[in-house]
Amino acid sequence: MKMTKMTALLLAAAMALTACGSTAAVSSEAASAAAAPEVTASPEEAAAEPAAETAVTYPLTVTDQLGREVTIETEPKTLASGYYISTSLLIALGVQDELVGVEAKADKRTIYGLSAPELQSLPSIGTAKEFDLEGCAALTPDLVIVPAKLKDCIPQMEELGLTVLAVKPEDQDKLYGAIDLLAQATNTVARGEELKSAIEDNLLSLREAIGDAEAPTVYMAGNSSVLQTAGPAMYQNYMIENAGGLNAAASVEDTYWAEVSYEQVLDWDPDYIILASDADYDVDSVLNDAALADCTAVKEGHVYQLPHAIEAVDSPVPGSFLGSVYLGSVLHPEQVSEQFYHDCADAFYTTYYGFTPASYE
């Protein structure tokens, strides 16, 4: 990847810190410069004016994240998204006005209310467990995007005349693949490249700020219980690695949340326990759990919950890199300041979602 202005600024700041022998946290000014987007147009203008060399021609054949070859006959003007991750991505690509149907419970998603409130009143096309096939078909969308777990329903959708793409952004590379796929399909390739660069530049800034600091062990707890954890096959593992940590549950083979025992957690003895964004229990309940009293993370008060004021940053949405930045500020506060995290969030959400966060946690 070419060195961007943001990367160059961070490298310059890192070199200056190294030359002075300083271990101070990234300053607010340096973080703001590093996080500031290079875009001068508004998000809507940037999305509406793709560079000539990246314009898409139709019919267009793409390969979705189930490995299916799908031909899109004409540029889609109406979209339906049965997955909040693809809906969030479509907002970031600037095509939210083309959505005619979205996943169930869209009215509960804070990020929609902040960035595209009109989505919250669109017809629901169901969930991955109960997809509304007929309801989706009745909207006659030019293109439907669904999670890969709905693969068994896709033949029925196609029988109803729907053009369907499946996405499965289960790691960082597959998130970039989902961005590429939907950017091509919606003729927003330039916007997609800009979005990927913004994510990668922020992650690079984070890695360079952390440098060779010692990596603590991190236990990532699940939504419904502290005795659920994410192994190396889950997206949360990439967040831990990006933040300069080691996954305490690296030996877990489950591809979803694994059920573990108190004895196992104590045996791993993580330096930090991090609760999922959408956890239905809180930090105090973990700190006061007598069964975890001998765990290093609890003894040292190193129990935190991932940000959730805007969206669940431990899911593979475009803004998920902010979960890594936040986690980096927790694991390595001398290298990554809290203000650096705030500045990254401000720049990203302002540029790609059209609002500035009022809360970061």
Side-chain angles (χ1 to χ4, degrees):
M1 180 178 292
K2 295 180 179 179
M3 181 179 291
T4 64
K5 178 181 178 182
M6 182 172 72
T7 305
L9 283 168
L10 185 85
L11 286 172
M15 291 172 64
L17 287 173
T18 302
C20 297
S22 171
T23 58
V26 178
S27 71
S28 174
E29 292 82 0
S32 296
E38 298 179 71
V39 191
T40 55
S42 69
E44 293 79 7
E45 291 170 337
E49 299 177 6
E53 65 271 20
T54 57
V56 173
T57 57
Y58 298 85
L60 170 72
T61 298
V62 296
T63 302
D64 74 2
Q65 292 190 298
L66 282 174
R68 303 165 52 249
E69 284 197 354
V70 179
T71 298
I72 304 170
E73 295 295 340
T74 60
E75 181 172 349
K77 299 299 182 184
T78 56
L79 308 168
S81 172
Y83 192 23
Y84 76 95
I85 290 174
S86 54
T87 304
S88 182
L89 175 49
L90 291 168
I91 297 172
L93 291 174
V95 293
Q96 63 270 20
D97 290 345
E98 297 172 15
L99 282 161
V100 295
V102 291
E103 76 281 359
K105 298 183 180 180
D107 59 328
K108 306 297 184 185
R109 298 203 179 276
T110 302
I111 191 168
Y112 296 174
L114 293 169
S115 62
E118 65 278 5
L119 299 187
Q120 296 183 310
S121 59
L122 288 180
S124 164
I125 59 173
T127 68
K129 292 182 179 179
E130 296 183 20
F131 188 77
D132 186 356
L133 240 169
E134 293 182 357
C136 180
L139 298 173
T140 62
D142 296 330
L143 181 65
V144 182
I145 301 99
V146 296
K149 62 180 65 175
L150 279 174
K151 61 182 179 181
D152 292 339
C153 294
I154 292 176
Q156 294 172 276
M157 296 184 207
E158 292 178 325
E159 287 176 7
L160 292 172
L162 299 172
T163 302
V164 184
L165 295 178
V167 293
K168 190 179 182 180
E170 59 190 8
D171 60 34
Q172 199 69 42
D173 287 340
K174 289 185 174 65
L175 173 58
Y176 292 149
I179 293 172
D180 286 338
L181 175 65
L182 298 192
Q184 284 188 338
T186 60
N187 196 13
T188 56
V189 172
R191 178 74 166 179
E193 289 298 319
E194 176 194 308
L195 176 60
K196 287 194 303 177
S197 292
I199 295 170
E200 188 58 34
D201 285 346
N202 276 284
L203 289 175
L204 180 59
S205 297
L206 176 64
R207 296 184 198 110
E208 290 173 340
I210 294 170
D212 58 359
E214 184 177 354
T217 55
V218 179
Y219 176 87
M220 186 70 73
N223 290 335
S224 59
S225 170
V226 73
L227 296 180
Q228 293 177 325
T229 193
M234 292 187 67
Y235 191 83
Q236 287 79 355
N237 185 74
Y238 297 90
M239 293 179 55
I240 295 171
E241 292 178 345
N242 287 335
L246 298 173
N247 191 347
S251 60
V252 168
E253 296 181 356
D254 299 58
T255 58
Y256 194 61
W257 292 106
E259 302 288 341
V260 296
S261 64
Y262 281 116
E263 290 76 16
Q264 179 63 80
V265 177
L266 292 172
D267 183 58
W268 284 330
D269 193 26
D271 298 310
Y272 289 81
I273 294 176
I274 307 297
L275 279 56
S277 289
D278 289 338
D280 55 16
Y281 55 101
D282 59 19
V283 168
D284 285 343
S285 70
V286 178
L287 290 172
N288 295 319
D289 190 333
L292 293 172
D294 291 330
C295 179
T296 295
V298 172
K299 288 190 292 186
E300 297 185 358
H302 290 167
V303 180
Y304 300 85
Q305 183 175 7
L306 287 168
H308 52 276
I310 297 172
E311 60 181 333
V313 295
D314 53 349
S315 57
V317 291
S320 60
F321 75 91
L322 291 167
S324 293
V325 177
Y326 168 81
L327 193 51
S329 73
V330 168
L331 304 183
H332 303 286
E334 294 187 356
Q335 287 79 19
V336 183
S337 71
E338 185 179 7
Q339 187 61 48
F340 181 78
Y341 160 61
H342 292 174
D343 291 338
C344 288
D346 283 351
F348 180 76
Y349 284 120
T350 299
T351 302
Y352 294 98
Y353 290 84
F355 70 90
T356 301
S359 174
Y360 301 93
E361 305 305 321

